[in-house]
Amino acid sequence: MLFFQKQGIVSIPQELPRDLTVRALPAPQTATLPLRVGGQARFCAPADRQLSLGTRLVAGEDGFGIYSPFDGMLGDLSRIRHPLLGEVPAAAVLVDACVQPPTAQTVALEQKPTEQEIVNAARVCGIIDETDGMRLDEKLLALRKKGVALLVGDACEDQPGCFAALCVLRQYGAQAELGLQLACLATGAQQGFFVRFGDADERFDTLPLQTQVHALGCQYPALPERRVQQESKQPFGSIGVQALAALYRALAFREPQLGLAVSIGGEILDMPRCYFVPFGTALSHAVQACGIHYPSYTCVSGGALRGTKVSDAMPMSIGVTGVYVQENAPEPAAKPCFGCGACANVCPQNLLPIHIMKSRRRGHKMKLKLLHPEDCIGCGACSYVCPSGIDLTRFVRLAAQDAAKEAVR
Amino acid sequence: MKLYSHAPFVRGGERTPRARMSFLFAALTGIGVLSLYYNGPRLLVLTAISLCMAAAFDLLVCLLAGQRLRVTSESMLQAVLLTLFCPATVHLLLPAVGVAVMMILKQLLRMFFRQAPHISCLCAGWCFLAFCFPANFFTYAKPGVEGWPPIAMTVAVEKVASPTELLRGDAIASDFSVIDVLLGNLAGPMGACGAVVLIACIAFLCFHYRTALRTAVGAVLAVTVCALLFPRVPQELLLSVLFEVCGGSLLLCAAFALQVPGAVPLTHGGQWMLGIVWGLLTVVGRRVLPIEQAAPLALLLLTPFNFGFDLLRGQLLRGWRKFRLLGRKSV
């Protein structure tokens, strides 16, 4: 039995009210589907270029598949520069209809699958773990090789505006639970449970699940891996809840992964919502569906504290489960540090961000070595609390880059 | 490595430096009113001279550097504090001399190290006055007995021992009671009157500006424990402890000297360490040197090590984490 202590750092208010149902997104007119497999693959679209839901577009040499989430006409193939994936091949699609959110029902499997069948299903259905962007089949094999005893279903989203994992746990909890059992079977783990962020929303207090759901307090950053590592005496692994639910659907309904539940949050939206977004849909399409009336806005992929600013034309892909939308306003200028120490006291890694920034600026290499900037996890808590508005996270990251370069030399 | 250069995109509603400084001035008003009651208008004259000196230095520096003329609230705060560390009977220009030394030191440190000073300039100014003008600086008189002339350069008074000086004898024989110590009717620096008010100031500042709470509590605890374990007047233990804690400018330093930017370590752990070491060093200073007002001196000696305290705390926590994770495998 694990015991989770309260170990948060910063209290960040979560925006309320918000819609917690995973909704269907209206079909976009066009889409650009990124086709990244992570190995040798061949393009296997139909010769007439007519697509229907679930048409296989790419087949990896090991059987990994990418499927069309749209009904429509396949356009040109090209290479695009994706802000998160880098340069990837992509297929343009003229869309007639798009995939709807998966059914939440569960059925009993005809027979207990073997570990190889589970891994094969994850591979063929092209399931990606949304928490780290890793292929689920490869991850299951890696976890088995490591000999994990505990498997954690990761539903922990602690940044403001991010709540997709919690919505999935609420709506597809039964499927995620069965997926966790299957993943335990495939990895040889003896025990599985879920972790979630201790969101103040009371609708998450009673989730209809038989598996334990551990809440990690209500403060940021929640850092589930570190907490499990500290409290458990056994080796463990973690898999995102969306991937677990998709794993169950792959075995029960032979359903490939065609999209992800993505939460769209931000104060300028009419209502923060969670949509099931087909891969390849432009970000602007999902944002407009939430009701935004600003002529100019900024989208942040991955949450307001750790995310990356992206263009709203970015096609949605694996690994994006939260988007934060804010008004397009210039950042206020930073004031000089007056030594309040707030940054040092919120750092979950016990670093001294302001000293790191000053040492880097003055070129004190020995001092920087003592300050360990490479331990930064990029949570952004230091910049969040700085009353002078200094972007400390950026300076610590730069110092970490310098340290990495120095180590290579 | 990916560089998340723009995150985070939301910021906390933390108070600005100016708002924090205003809380300090509000707390100073409390102790100022009490000190004015005991010391009369001479306190105002001394403070005004110190403020003028600090303002003149700030303006001069701006003029020499070719910057827009401005007077910083930090300089004003330090000038007021240094005045409060002096007795009311001090030479009229002495606090201004201390302020001048303090400002020069601050500018020299900024010039040569291109950074905010890592030593407490306030304590440096205090030490300059204490070591260069000890006769005038440590001549205390019981307030309320004399009517201090507000604008006389010097004031001739009958010297009275401060609470910590009384502890040097075998027995505590004084003409002020415990109530006097708590309410401020005793000999000592102008700002060190009224332990109750100073504790209220600490509580007020801790509520609005939490920085120095741990250092103040750590120092007071260390001095209390030392006074209990090794009392200077064992036959009057409680009075001895009370005089050690409430005398010798310890509470004044704990309330205000620590609030000056750069005076304390950044981390909570470092602040606790500084507090405890500061308290111990104060006790050593009082008994070994012996300087009864050893608290500002000890603080001056320790502030250069603030970074070291932070670093030590980080290393200890890192070591503790490694110890806890020892032998645990993870994926």
Side-chain angles (χ1 to χ4, degrees), chain B:
Chain B
M1 182 186 293
K2 197 170 189 66
L3 182 65
Y4 298 95
S5 59
H6 299 289
F9 298 91
V10 288
R11 295 294 171 102
E14 280 287 310
R15 291 195 179 99
T16 59
R18 187 176 289 181
R20 291 189 174 203
M21 207 56 106
S22 66
F23 290 126
L24 269 177
F25 279 108
L28 267 176
T29 310
I31 198 72
V33 168
L34 188 71
S35 189
L36 193 64
Y37 170 74
Y38 285 122
N39 299 302
R42 192 174 171 82
L43 167 75
L44 295 178
V45 177
L46 286 166
T47 311
I49 294 173
S50 298
L51 284 173
C52 287
M53 179 60 85
F57 255 92
D58 264 2
L59 294 175
L60 184 68
V61 168
C62 291
L63 215 59
L64 291 174
Q67 296 168 342
R68 190 170 58 88
L69 294 181
R70 68 192 188 105
V71 177
T72 61
S73 54
E74 190 190 325
S75 303
M76 297 291 103
L77 174 76
Q78 291 187 347
V80 174
L81 283 176
L82 191 61
T83 313
L84 288 176
F85 272 103
C86 300
T89 54
V90 78
H91 190 282
L92 204 61
L93 297 180
L94 207 59
V97 172
V99 170
V101 171
M102 186 175 79
M103 300 297 284
I104 290 170
L105 182 69
K106 198 161 89 174
Q107 291 309 324
L108 284 176
L109 285 167
R110 286 218 169 121
M111 202 183 294
F112 289 109
F113 296 102
R114 287 184 295 166
Q115 61 191 34
H118 276 320
I119 68 166
S120 170
C121 294
L122 172 70
C123 294
W126 181 92
C127 288
F128 174 79
L129 295 180
F131 286 103
C132 296
F133 308 96
N136 194 244
F137 197 65
F138 291 127
T139 301
Y140 301 129
K142 189 164 185 192
V145 177
E146 313 280 345
W148 322 125
I151 47 175
M153 282 294 172
T154 53
V155 181
V157 287
E158 189 188 337
K159 193 177 174 185
V160 175
S162 69
T164 41
E165 281 168 341
L166 288 172
L167 295 172
R168 285 189 199 163
D170 293 333
I172 299 172
S174 74
D175 53 355
F176 47 80
S177 63
V178 172
I179 299 295
D180 285 337
V181 174
L182 295 177
L183 294 183
N185 188 21
L186 74 162
M190 285 188 284
C193 61
V196 171
V197 178
L198 282 169
I199 290 168
C201 285
I202 294 176
F204 171 78
L205 288 172
C206 289
F207 186 71
H208 289 290
Y209 181 2
R210 293 167 172 271
T211 311
L213 168 70
R214 291 157 195 88
T215 312
V217 171
V220 170
L221 275 179
V223 170
T224 309
V225 169
C226 287
L228 278 170
L229 294 178
F230 313 105
R232 284 204 266 185
V233 186
Q235 51 275 40
E236 290 180 80
L237 181 67
L238 288 180
L239 210 56
S240 173
V241 172
L242 185 74
F243 280 15
E244 288 272 19
V245 174
C246 299
S249 305
L250 179 70
L251 286 180
L252 180 62
C253 268
F256 296 108
L258 300 174
Q259 308 284 0
V260 178
V264 289
L266 296 181
T267 58
H268 294 164
Q271 287 166 8
W272 275 114
M273 283 187 231
L274 172 72
I276 291 165
V277 177
W278 176 38
L280 294 175
L281 209 60
T282 302
V283 172
V284 170
R286 282 176 184 176
R287 298 185 186 196
V288 178
L289 289 178
I291 299 173
E292 294 306 334
Q293 307 280 333
L297 177 65
L299 196 59
L300 174 69
L301 294 174
L302 285 173
T303 42
F305 301 103
N306 282 346
F307 175 67
F309 285 122
D310 282 335
L311 211 58
L312 181 64
R313 170 252 188 197
Q315 295 295 345
L316 287 175
L317 286 174
R318 190 182 297 273
W320 172 241
R321 205 188 316 154
K322 273 185 188 164
F323 174 75
R324 286 193 71 181
L325 298 178
L326 206 65
R328 291 182 189 175
K329 281 192 281 177
S330 67
V331 177

Side-chain angles (χ1 to χ4, degrees), chain A residues 143 148 229-230 236 300 304 308-309 324 326 338 340 345 350 354 362 367 372 375 383-385 387 389 391, chain B residues 4-5 7-12 14-15 17 20 115 261 266-268 307 317-318 321 328-331:
Chain A
L143 292 174
V148 292
Q229 202 172 29
Q230 281 179 355
F236 75 97
V300 180
T308 310
K309 207 180 268 188
Y324 185 78
Q326 64 178 16
F338 67 105
C340 67
N345 289 310
N350 302 315
I354 191 67
R362 292 181 201 124
K367 202 171 167 184
H372 298 283
D375 286 359
S383 299
Y384 179 83
V385 297
D391 195 355
Chain B
Y4 298 95
S5 59
F9 298 91
V10 288
R11 295 294 171 102
E14 280 287 310
R15 291 195 179 99
R20 291 189 174 203
Q115 61 191 34
L266 296 181
T267 58
H268 294 164
F307 175 67
L317 286 174
R318 190 182 297 273
R321 205 188 316 154
R328 291 182 189 175
K329 281 192 281 177
S330 67
V331 177

Side-chain angles (χ1 to χ4, degrees), chain A residues 141-158:
Chain A
L141 290 172
L143 292 174
R144 180 160 195 90
K145 202 174 167 188
K146 295 271 182 187
V148 292
L150 283 177
L151 204 57
V152 179
D154 189 352
C156 199
E157 285 187 307
D158 52 359

Side-chain angles (χ1 to χ4, degrees), chain A residues 128-134 139 154-155 225 238-241 243 319 321:
Chain A
I128 304 284
D129 186 352
E130 74 277 5
T131 57
D132 55 9
M134 198 174 165
K139 192 164 186 175
D154 189 352
E225 288 84 8
S238 74
I239 297 173
V241 281
T321 56

